[in-house]
Amino acid sequence: MKPSETYSQLRQSDDNISTSPKLEAEGLPLNPRHDWTRNCLFILLGILGAVTCLILGYVAHPKAQPTPPTTPKTWKTTLTSELHCGNSSSEARALGCVFDLLTNNWMPQYCADPYTDGEYRAWVTDAGRELGAWAFYHDDKAERQVASEEELSDLVGKHVWTTTENHLAHCVFLARRMHRLVTGEITAVAHNTFAHTIHCTKAVLKALQATGEQSRDVAQIGSTFDVGIVSCLV
């Protein structure tokens, strides 16, 4: 019979104790080399994730796509120039400008409208007007009549008198001219500010409201104007 063997627990030094998963889970310090490696992996994964998000955002976002070059619009120009007619009727003629009877102004031919000018000319030269054809005068008493359209065009800077009837016709035919501008039948107008439009519409409304004796005033000398020279933009 063999003698019984007794076992005694071996004593282990602290240096021989191996790190176990249980100790790691309990928060005991690990090997510093392992910590550094794990941190580097986390940083690398973070960088890769950020780069991936940027790439996906660039592709998905519509503004990130390169915009094709736009073709310049050729139907509209931002550059403008002003056409002038000088300071006298002789200078205006020399510069090729025309006298617009509808507005009583010399103006560049580019800004004139022969159609509405012709309509107004037919109106004022009609013998059926209350004071007869061509009711333009040098005075408010209608004693000295302007002889012709040529003479009228030479009165630059001078006062000329006419009937309220002719004044209202001026407003009506000028409204037709503005419609032609809006529809593109003409390309430009001269001497037609908003203030002048207000003036004309007030004159028309006043004539519509006139009654009795006042309603016959349209045939009398009640309007005056200055013959002028205007420029226009092209």
Side-chain angles (χ1 to χ4, degrees), residues 102-103 113-123 168-189 192 196-197 200-201 204:
L102 177 55
T103 60
D113 179 24
Y115 185 81
T116 50
D117 188 49
E119 286 184 313
Y120 183 66
R121 183 175 289 101
W123 168 273
L168 295 176
H170 152 84
C171 293
V172 170
F173 291 115
L174 195 57
R176 293 185 182 182
R177 177 174 293 185
M178 291 306 297
H179 182 81
R180 284 167 55 77
L181 175 68
V182 171
T183 57
E185 296 176 76
I186 55 177
T187 56
V189 295
N192 194 25
H196 182 265
T197 300
C200 261
T201 51
V204 173

Side-chain angles (χ1 to χ4, degrees), residues 41-224:
L41 289 175
F42 286 157
I43 293 172
L44 180 60
L45 289 175
I47 294 174
L48 290 176
V51 171
T52 301
C53 291
L54 288 174
I55 294 175
L56 291 176
Y58 180 82
V59 173
H61 202 285
K63 290 185 178 181
Q65 299 294 338
T67 56
T70 56
T71 303
K73 296 180 180 179
T74 58
W75 55 269
K76 182 178 180 180
T77 177
T78 56
L79 299 177
T80 59
S81 59
E82 189 172 7
L83 301 178
H84 296 273
C85 291
N87 298 308
S88 66
S89 58
S90 58
E91 288 183 8
R93 289 188 181 93
L95 291 170
C97 296
V98 296
F99 183 72
D100 182 58
L101 182 62
L102 177 55
T103 60
N104 307 296
N105 283 297
W106 286 94
M107 64 178 58
Q109 191 168 6
Y110 177 83
C111 300
D113 179 24
Y115 185 81
T116 50
D117 188 49
E119 286 184 313
Y120 183 66
R121 183 175 289 101
W123 168 273
V124 299
T125 56
D126 186 351
R129 301 278 71 80
E130 290 292 337
L131 293 186
W134 196 252
F136 295 102
Y137 301 91
H138 292 279
D139 62 295
D140 59 352
K141 304 298 182 183
E143 295 175 350
R144 295 183 296 120
Q145 189 175 23
V146 177
S148 63
E149 184 173 344
E150 183 177 2
E151 181 184 355
L152 180 66
S153 68
D154 285 329
L155 299 176
V156 175
K158 304 294 184 180
H159 276 307
V160 176
W161 280 262
T162 190
T163 61
T164 302
E165 182 184 35
N166 282 349
H167 180 206
L168 295 176
H170 152 84
C171 293
V172 170
F173 291 115
L174 195 57
R176 293 185 182 182
R177 177 174 293 185
M178 291 306 297
H179 182 81
R180 284 167 55 77
L181 175 68
V182 171
T183 57
E185 296 176 76
I186 55 177
T187 56
V189 295
H191 187 66
N192 194 25
T193 63
F194 184 67
H196 182 265
T197 300
I198 294 296
H199 159 75
C200 261
T201 51
K202 283 183 176 180
V204 173
L205 292 174
K206 181 179 179 181
L208 291 174
Q209 294 170 347
T211 58
E213 291 294 329
Q214 292 179 340
S215 63
R216 291 192 289 270
D217 288 344
V218 295
Q220 305 304 314
I221 303 299
S223 299
T224 184

